[in-house]
Amino acid sequence: MPRMHETEFKPLTHYENFPVASILLPGHLRPAVQVIYAFARSADDIADEGDALPAERLAALRAYETALSRIDQELPQQDPLFAAVAKVMRQYRLSSAPFFALLSAFRQDVLTTRYQTFAELLDYCARSADPVGALMLHLYGQADARNLRESNAICSALQLINFLQDVGVDWQKSRIYLPQEDLQRFGVSETAIANGTLNPAWRALMAFEVARTRAMLQSGAPLARRLPGRIGWELRLVIQGGMRILERIESVDYDVFRRRPKLAARDWLVILWRGCRM
């Protein structure tokens, strides 16, 4: 189990492209956010990085679950990372449920490489992404039902955007996060993904995925306009960053195999301008 000095509490970044602990994050919340990041990042690395065997990864994740259970039982924590998590949970009265949900998603990453339906993929997103937004809302004291519902839409959409960016990267890990039902509907085979085949079928599939994801992201946008102060501004930039990535995917004609879409410095000027317009 990683020690705090190994994990390094760094500012939280939301799926690489969308900063969450930036200059807009109030200073008094930054330590808590960094602890949450350290937990999530280190557990995700257990599931996804290095050369460990699946059984070893699952055992390490079970150790994380055991440590969380000890927090629930108010037992002392020897590991500095979990001592810090326990402190944050007590300070902000956080439930352990979002932390356990993240671990269940990381465990699924070890075991599951295909998703038959979009509903199955959304269930994964509900545990791999939505808990991050829920924890942020709880830290800000804004976790009512409507806010959580719209936060979930934003977080799941951001997770889907990462999947669309990383089709080629995920294939190298023997994973496909495009629903099998969509591949079948548009006539795209796994061989085509392996070969990076760009044809009308692939472009139609990706256009469908991008449109659905954009609609989901837009459905959560009212949250950014409703939340007060820094969290509202932060969320505006997160949403516009996601929108910009979708535009980047379209701009390369859905060739995510050879030209992985990502944000450049000039994109942040567009994101800032659009965030202000919101």
Side-chain angles (χ1 to χ4, degrees):
M1 187 178 299
R3 299 290 179 181
M4 186 181 297
H5 69 274
E6 296 172 344
T7 305
E8 298 181 7
F9 288 2
K10 302 174 182 177
L12 180 65
T13 55
H14 202 109
Y15 310 122
E16 171 190 347
N17 296 307
F18 315 112
V20 174
S22 71
I23 192 172
L24 294 177
L25 184 66
H28 73 279
L29 290 182
R30 190 167 288 115
V33 173
Q34 291 173 347
V35 168
I36 292 170
Y37 171 82
F39 170 87
R41 181 72 271 165
S42 61
D44 190 22
D45 286 347
I46 288 173
D48 220 27
E49 301 296 330
D51 300 320
L53 297 174
E56 296 171 324
R57 298 180 190 276
L58 294 173
L61 291 172
R62 283 195 297 272
Y64 268 51
E65 292 175 335
T66 299
L68 279 181
S69 296
R70 289 180 61 85
I71 293 175
D72 281 342
Q73 298 166 28
E74 299 183 356
L75 297 173
Q77 297 290 329
Q78 295 182 346
D79 187 285
L81 171 59
F82 284 94
V85 171
K87 179 180 178 181
V88 169
M89 289 175 61
R90 288 193 303 270
Q91 182 178 357
Y92 293 96
R93 299 182 180 179
L94 300 178
S95 166
S96 62
F99 297 92
F100 277 111
L102 287 170
L103 292 179
S104 75
F106 299 147
R107 185 170 59 249
Q108 188 165 318
D109 276 331
V110 178
L111 299 171
T112 304
T113 60
R114 302 290 188 276
Y115 291 84
Q116 183 59 40
T117 67
F118 184 60
E120 291 178 1
L121 189 60
L122 275 186
D123 175 71
Y124 169 79
C125 293
R127 290 174 288 113
S128 68
D130 296 3
V132 175
L135 287 167
M136 293 296 293
L137 286 176
H138 279 287
L139 291 179
Y140 275 96
Q142 297 286 342
D144 62 38
R146 182 183 180 188
N147 288 352
L148 285 168
R149 183 171 61 252
E150 293 177 355
S151 171
N152 289 345
I154 293 168
C155 291
S156 286
L158 293 177
Q159 179 75 85
L160 294 173
I161 289 169
N162 269 171
F163 293 154
L164 298 179
Q165 280 179 287
D166 288 339
V167 173
V169 174
D170 290 331
W171 175 258
Q172 297 303 316
K173 300 177 182 179
S174 300
R175 295 175 181 165
I176 296 178
Y177 288 103
L178 300 174
Q180 295 292 303
E181 64 182 6
D182 294 349
L183 297 180
Q184 295 164 12
R185 173 183 173 185
F186 289 93
V188 175
S189 67
E190 292 196 7
T191 300
I193 294 175
N195 295 333
T197 302
L198 298 174
N199 56 23
W202 171 255
R203 292 187 173 95
L205 167 66
M206 287 295 285
F208 170 78
E209 303 292 348
V210 165
R212 179 167 59 185
T213 302
R214 180 180 283 121
M216 183 182 298
L217 190 54
Q218 289 172 334
S219 74
L223 178 62
R225 295 191 291 268
R226 193 168 61 251
L227 289 178
R230 291 184 177 186
I231 185 175
W233 281 103
E234 184 79 27
L235 198 52
R236 292 181 186 201
L237 298 185
V238 166
I239 291 169
Q240 293 304 326
M243 293 293 189
R244 190 62 172 166
I245 285 290
L246 292 176
E247 292 173 0
R248 284 291 181 197
I249 292 173
E250 292 170 329
S251 72
V252 297
D253 203 17
Y254 307 109
D255 184 4
V256 293
F257 303 107
R258 299 164 188 84
R259 293 178 286 177
R260 180 184 182 273
K262 58 183 179 180
L263 298 178
R266 63 183 179 275
D267 292 305
W268 287 105
L269 297 176
V270 175
I271 291 166
L272 180 60
W273 179 70
R274 290 179 177 176
C276 290
R277 290 189 66 192
M278 288 180 69

